[in-house]
Amino acid sequence: MSSRLQAILWVRPRLRILNQLLLPHRREYVEINNSRAGHHAIASMQTRGAPAIAIVAALSLAAELCGLEFSSAATAQAHIRQQLAYLSTSRPTAVNLFDAVRRLNKVVDAAAADGADVCAAYVQAAEAMLAADIADNRAIGTHGARYIAETAGASSIKLLTHCNTGALATAGHGTALGIARTLHELNVLSHVYFTETRPYNQGARLTAFELLEEHIPSTLVCDSAVSALLQSDPGIQAIVVGADRVAANGDTANKIGTYQLAITAHHHNRLFIVAAPSTSIDLDMPSGKQIEIEQRDPSEILVQSGFTQSSVATGSLEPASVQVAPLETRAWNPSFDVTPAALISAIVTEKGVITKQPNSSEFDIKAALS
């Protein structure tokens, strides 16, 4: 079963992305004609999710190059390098973006015949990334579903997930939510609980939207209610999350709130699984201590934004903001936290399931992927 949702639409030379700031109340695609528009879409979170960020960045420059001509290979290469460096500033934590930039730069360096050949090589490489992400996500779903079913030893699976890690965060199917999708396809998924994911509410807005679209039984819970939920329902076998960056030892940066979920999973003896493509793994980073954490605008905590109920009912979508905290309140708003490898049961990639050696608190990911 393919996802009903497509967050990224590419038909050369045209790139359109689903504007996730309007979800779940309106489906509207935004034209991305160049790298500047791509940078804005990523930074403003019209598109989000580590795999999707990398693909939108790559394809936004591909769309730009389709309308340009260069006098020489060197001129084309210089322009592409400059624009890729610019795109890499859009979100600093997601390693997929930097991996894509590195790989695309290699492609461009190798194509030195003339300007047209350099651009053609770049566009083809960006398109290949799009196709590969979908295939990788299907593989993650298969490996993760098998691991959970075998480890839990149950024919009926309940999961909890955090943020949004589905088709909206990738080129299709999803990572952590992709595992839920695969379990649903196999008719062994009985229920998915998902967090609201404050302060940007990706769970309440986006994961809710995806699960309803796919007709997967699901329930929204407050971020602060997960421990109580695990205590009250021993039938929840696993918490499954995505990743924006995984260090070589398995320490994982993901949406803020992931760390506390790992702590409560450990306390309640439940599986805590990270699902991510191998492009999210940074083998050059020894541990999570070196991961740069993006700090976002404090107003995302202090102010609640959305659309008025009446405008949602009529489809007019009138934006509204409500000041929740006193005006002089300070707020700390990291976009991500780092979960220590010791709290993670397994890391699922498109290549398979990575687990720790007995009596080890860390993963040897380099050995597992070699």
Side-chain angles (χ1 to χ4, degrees):
M1 178 182 70
S2 298
S3 168
R4 300 166 188 262
L5 296 170
Q6 285 187 283
I8 302 170
L9 298 177
W10 168 258
V11 179
R12 192 193 299 186
R14 190 182 184 198
L15 173 63
R16 293 184 296 150
I17 64 164
L18 189 59
N19 184 354
Q20 297 186 30
L21 297 176
L22 299 180
L23 291 176
H25 307 301
R26 178 182 293 166
R27 294 195 198 197
E28 180 178 289
Y29 284 88
V30 179
E31 293 276 352
I32 304 294
N33 298 317
N34 53 50
S35 52
R36 183 167 295 278
H39 188 286
H40 172 74
I42 295 166
S44 68
M45 295 182 71
Q46 287 179 328
T47 191
R48 21 75 47 212
I53 286 169
I55 292 164
V56 169
L59 289 176
S60 68
L61 181 50
E64 177 179 315
L65 293 175
C66 287
L68 297 178
E69 293 183 1
F70 296 93
S71 59
S72 67
T75 305
Q77 289 167 332
H79 177 81
I80 291 170
R81 291 191 199 100
Q82 180 181 31
Q83 296 304 88
L84 285 175
Y86 167 66
L87 285 162
S88 69
T89 66
S90 57
R91 295 294 296 274
T93 303
V95 71
N96 305 60
L97 175 58
F98 296 94
D99 179 74
V101 167
R102 177 184 56 79
R103 288 190 287 154
L104 289 167
N105 271 321
K106 282 188 176 181
V107 169
V108 169
D109 290 342
D114 57 38
D117 285 344
V118 170
C119 292
Y122 177 93
V123 172
Q124 290 168 8
E127 290 173 339
M129 288 181 176
L130 176 67
D133 187 64
I134 297 172
D136 288 349
N137 292 336
R138 295 292 311 190
I140 289 169
T142 298
H143 294 311
R146 183 183 301 119
Y147 174 78
I148 291 172
E150 292 176 354
T151 306
S155 58
S156 179
I157 305 295
K158 290 182 183 179
L159 302 178
L160 183 138
T161 192
H162 185 55
C163 196
N164 173 257
T165 57
L168 296 174
T170 64
H173 195 70
T175 54
L177 201 58
I179 292 175
R181 267 198 177 89
T182 300
L183 287 166
H184 182 63
E185 292 171 7
L186 297 172
N187 294 315
V188 294
L189 182 69
S190 63
H191 209 85
V192 175
Y193 293 94
F194 60 100
T195 61
E196 56 185 345
T197 320
R198 287 275 297 138
Y200 225 72
N201 293 314
Q202 293 98 324
R205 294 188 299 110
L206 306 177
T207 298
F209 179 67
E210 288 204 44
L211 292 169
L212 289 171
E213 281 285 310
E214 303 287 1
H215 305 294
I216 296 175
S218 58
T219 300
L220 171 66
V221 298
C222 293
D223 293 355
S224 55
V226 173
S227 293
L229 176 65
L230 294 182
Q231 185 181 60
S232 66
D233 189 350
I236 299 171
Q237 290 95 343
I239 295 177
V240 187
V241 301
D244 284 80
R245 188 184 294 247
V246 181
N249 71 340
D251 291 350
T252 296
N254 192 49
K255 183 54 56 186
I256 191 72
T258 301
Y259 183 16
Q260 65 192 29
L261 293 179
I263 293 171
T264 194
H266 180 76
H267 177 77
H268 290 94
N269 195 30
R270 312 296 167 86
L271 295 171
F272 187 85
I273 298 166
V274 171
S278 58
T279 52
S280 294
I281 297 171
D282 189 348
L283 294 178
D284 294 328
M285 188 160 286
S287 74
K289 293 178 181 178
Q290 294 82 35
I291 297 177
E292 178 184 356
I293 300 300
E294 176 187 1
Q295 296 289 332
R296 293 190 63 84
D297 192 328
S299 67
E300 292 176 355
I301 297 177
L302 304 173
V303 177
Q304 286 285 287
S305 298
F307 302 101
T308 63
Q309 282 185 302
S310 59
S311 72
V312 170
T314 62
S316 59
L317 294 192
E318 298 172 8
S321 295
V322 178
Q323 182 72 37
V324 177
L327 290 174
E328 63 272 18
T329 304
R330 295 180 179 180
W332 182 59
N333 187 21
S335 191
F336 307 95
D337 56 28
V338 177
T339 299
L343 297 175
I344 299 171
S345 307
I347 298 171
V348 182
T349 77
E350 76 280 7
K351 301 178 186 296
V353 179
I354 305 172
T355 55
K356 290 170 285 195
Q357 294 297 316
N359 302 317
S360 176
S361 62
E362 296 185 337
F363 294 82
D364 187 351
I365 297 180
K366 186 174 182 179
L369 294 179
S370 61

